[in-house]
Amino acid sequence: MEEAGRALADPKAYADEARLHEALALLRRESPVQWVEAPDYTPFWAITKHADVLEIERNHEIFLNAPRPLLGTAEFDELNRQRAEQGIALRTLIHMDDPDHRVIRAIGADWFRPRAMRALEPRVKELAKRYVDRMVEFGSECDFAQQVAVHFPLYVILSLLGLPESDFDRMLKLTQELFGGDDDELQRGQSNEEKLQVLLDFFAYFQSLTDERRKHPTDDLASAIANARIDGEPLNDFDTASYYVIIATAGHDTTSATIAGGLQALIQHPDQRERLTKNPELMPLAVDEMIRWVTPVKEFMRTATRDYDLRGATIRKGDAVLLSYPSANRDEEVFDEPFRFDAGRDPNKHLAFGFGVHYCLGAALARIEVRAFFEELLPRLGSIEFAGPAESIATTFVGGLKRLPVRYSLA
Ligand code: HEM
């Protein structure tokens, strides 16, 4: 059981779906609230049942996001603690709790309301078409993960922020370096100091954006953030830059992982692809099934502010709990045949967007993006098959496929 728990702190386990899900199924069955002691990490409780993830997220006054909102090595946690002391730690929505969280979240919440998002739909559809057209330009083969899926959501979110197209490549590199987790290929063996440098680059970039939008306000999201007032005061430079960082990063890798993993699922399940192509009205359900299937956010953490009993285990005040979303989304007690990809799954109470006060701010946008992409792709797609082995990112945080070579015919 200890070994199964340690898989949750092993980036490589996430690059091997079968191994990961074997460990998670064992934990759900035998020890759903499991104490994990893994080399390099401060110990934590692994929470693997859907009902328990919900219970903890509901109790947001007992289980706080600060000071350890996500899994990092003990060394990384310590570096963050020191940075917090020096006032240079990243402080985004996921690092905050009420009352600050409520106030800061409200700044972006207006932007991300489903109704506001629907107004963006035509633009998102246009971008989806551009990327499917690009697949046609590639001929009959491409690495779908690297050449298509990575670009489309980044493009959407950066246009929403109002950044110029000439900066997109730079942002892509920065997000991958910051969020490539522990994947050697993406991190290129970065030390913690080098990671800090990546973060500082981000901050410098966004600082000039803030200055520009304060001088010349526009109607984009960056301007809303730069010119937001709390009790009559603007956000400080750090909180402003942190806001851009969370939007630019959270809004990108997650959705690209879903699109790549969604296409992989459709290739692996040709009956479901055919069903969806013949019944396009199933698309909203299929989109949520892709999101459940991929579950690109692997975990968030909370810290208990008092002792709490869960399934007979006592979580002590100060203990950290890791909410395993991939496990919750394969919970046999909630999902009928959880390991079956069912494009028409209904109901589908997945927790891929989390739950409660921190529920994903971009959920409506993510759904629009995934839907727009597959609504454009499927009617134009003839054949499609794998053209080489797919590979996943080794990360305990946000991940999915980093390579998906495909061969296809597309009109
Ligand atoms: C938070 C998943 C796309 C912005 C979260 C959380 C999850 C998540 C699990 C934490 C929820 C919790 O703690 O209960 C996803 C998935 C996505 C996606 C699976 C795509 C399929 C997006 C997009 C954006 C976005 C497109 C923005 C453009 C955010 C923000 C938060 C967040 C700002 C922090 C909210 C808070 O702490 O109050 N997301 N996300 N996400 N997400 Fe997403």
Side-chain angles (χ1 to χ4, degrees):
M1 210 56 60
E2 284 78 16
E3 202 188 321
R6 278 194 293 275
L8 285 160
D10 176 4
K12 291 196 175 62
Y14 287 85
D16 179 350
E17 287 255 299
R19 179 181 155 209
L20 178 75
H21 280 297
E22 202 180 307
L24 295 177
L26 182 68
L27 289 168
R28 280 196 301 279
R29 205 168 50 240
E30 310 277 338
S31 180
V33 182
Q34 168 73 33
W35 184 244
V36 178
E37 293 184 7
D40 304 333
Y41 292 85
T42 311
F44 58 89
W45 293 96
I47 310 296
T48 44
K49 292 288 286 178
H50 187 282
D52 298 346
V53 171
L54 262 184
E55 183 172 331
I56 290 173
E57 294 227 39
R58 272 203 184 105
N59 282 302
H60 61 97
E61 280 158 3
I62 300 174
F63 290 99
L64 301 187
N65 278 40
R68 199 183 171 191
L70 45 97
L71 186 68
T73 58
E75 189 194 342
F76 195 66
D77 290 346
E78 176 54 23
L79 191 73
N80 274 331
R81 203 188 54 72
Q82 288 171 11
R83 279 190 221 155
E85 266 179 19
Q86 296 160 15
I88 55 159
L90 188 63
R91 210 174 82 97
T92 74
L93 288 176
I94 63 155
H95 299 84
M96 292 179 190
D97 295 285
D98 282 347
D100 296 6
H101 174 259
R102 191 194 308 255
V103 178
I104 303 284
R105 183 171 162 115
I107 295 171
D110 251 2
W111 260 87
F112 286 100
R113 287 230 167 82
R115 201 187 307 154
M117 289 300 105
R118 276 197 293 278
L120 293 174
E121 246 181 284
R123 173 87 181 120
V124 175
K125 281 186 172 161
E126 194 186 303
L127 290 176
K129 181 170 181 316
R130 186 192 294 194
Y131 282 93
V132 176
D133 287 348
R134 196 166 284 184
M135 285 176 75
V136 176
E137 285 160 27
F138 291 141
S140 59
E141 257 187 58
C142 72
D143 181 335
F144 182 78
Q146 293 209 340
Q147 292 177 278
V148 183
V150 153
H151 299 271
F152 165 58
L154 181 72
Y155 208 111
V156 172
I157 195 64
L158 296 185
S159 346
L160 230 161
L161 271 172
L163 302 189
E165 214 167 318
S166 50
D167 288 350
F168 283 13
D169 283 346
R170 176 175 181 190
M171 295 303 298
L172 177 63
K173 191 164 157 279
L174 281 175
T175 29
Q176 285 186 337
E177 288 188 352
L178 196 62
F179 270 27
D182 314 276
D183 195 293
D184 292 341
E185 196 179 350
L186 297 180
Q187 289 288 324
R188 296 190 300 273
Q190 279 184 336
S191 67
N192 281 331
E193 286 310 319
E194 283 162 332
K195 283 183 193 165
L196 178 62
Q197 192 51 49
V198 171
L199 197 62
L200 294 177
D201 281 356
F202 242 120
F203 273 38
Y205 175 87
F206 284 126
Q207 186 58 52
S208 52
L209 182 67
T210 306
D211 295 344
E212 173 61 30
R213 289 298 190 277
R214 284 185 181 155
K215 255 189 257 147
H216 307 288
T218 61
D219 59 359
D220 57 33
L221 177 57
S223 195
I225 296 170
N227 295 297
R229 288 274 186 284
I230 293 174
D231 299 329
E233 296 294 318
L235 291 183
N236 67 37
D237 291 344
F238 221 78
D239 285 352
T240 309
S242 295
Y243 219 123
Y244 297 135
V245 170
I246 185 80
I247 302 284
T249 52
H252 158 221
D253 278 7
T254 46
T255 314
S256 27
T258 304
I259 291 175
L263 183 66
Q264 183 189 39
L266 292 178
I267 300 173
Q268 284 165 337
H269 303 87
D271 59 326
Q272 296 303 306
R273 183 189 144 204
E274 196 187 327
R275 183 180 173 206
L276 193 54
T277 309
K278 284 194 179 139
N279 305 281
E281 72 284 358
L282 286 181
M283 193 55 89
L285 295 177
V287 165
D288 267 90
E289 179 66 343
M290 289 177 190
I291 295 169
R292 179 190 79 90
W293 191 250
V294 175
T295 309
V297 178
K298 308 305 173 194
E299 50 87 12
F300 269 112
M301 294 183 93
R302 301 290 189 262
T303 299
T305 54
R306 66 161 170 80
D307 289 2
Y308 191 91
D309 287 332
L310 190 62
R311 289 188 197 259
T314 302
I315 296 167
R316 299 273 173 214
K317 177 178 176 179
D319 284 354
V321 294
L322 178 145
L323 310 175
S324 174
Y325 297 119
S327 181
N329 286 344
R330 293 287 192 280
D331 191 335
E332 302 74 4
E333 273 193 282
V334 176
F335 301 97
D336 184 29
E337 294 185 69
F339 287 91
R340 188 164 56 89
F341 178 79
D342 174 359
R345 186 176 288 274
D346 189 17
N348 187 352
K349 293 185 184 319
H350 70 74
L351 293 179
F353 289 123
F355 186 82
V357 293
H358 285 276
Y359 181 78
C360 176
L361 202 54
L365 176 63
R367 287 189 170 111
I368 287 172
E369 288 180 56
V370 179
R371 181 176 173 167
F373 189 82
F374 285 100
E375 278 181 349
E376 179 67 30
L377 178 73
L378 288 188
R380 296 171 59 181
L381 192 61
S383 60
I384 184 155
E385 59 183 8
F386 297 121
E391 253 183 84
S392 299
I393 297 176
T395 175
T396 57
F397 185 30
V398 175
L401 294 169
K402 69 175 167 189
R403 273 196 196 96
L404 182 63
V406 290
R407 189 173 306 115
Y408 48 84
S409 65
L410 190 62

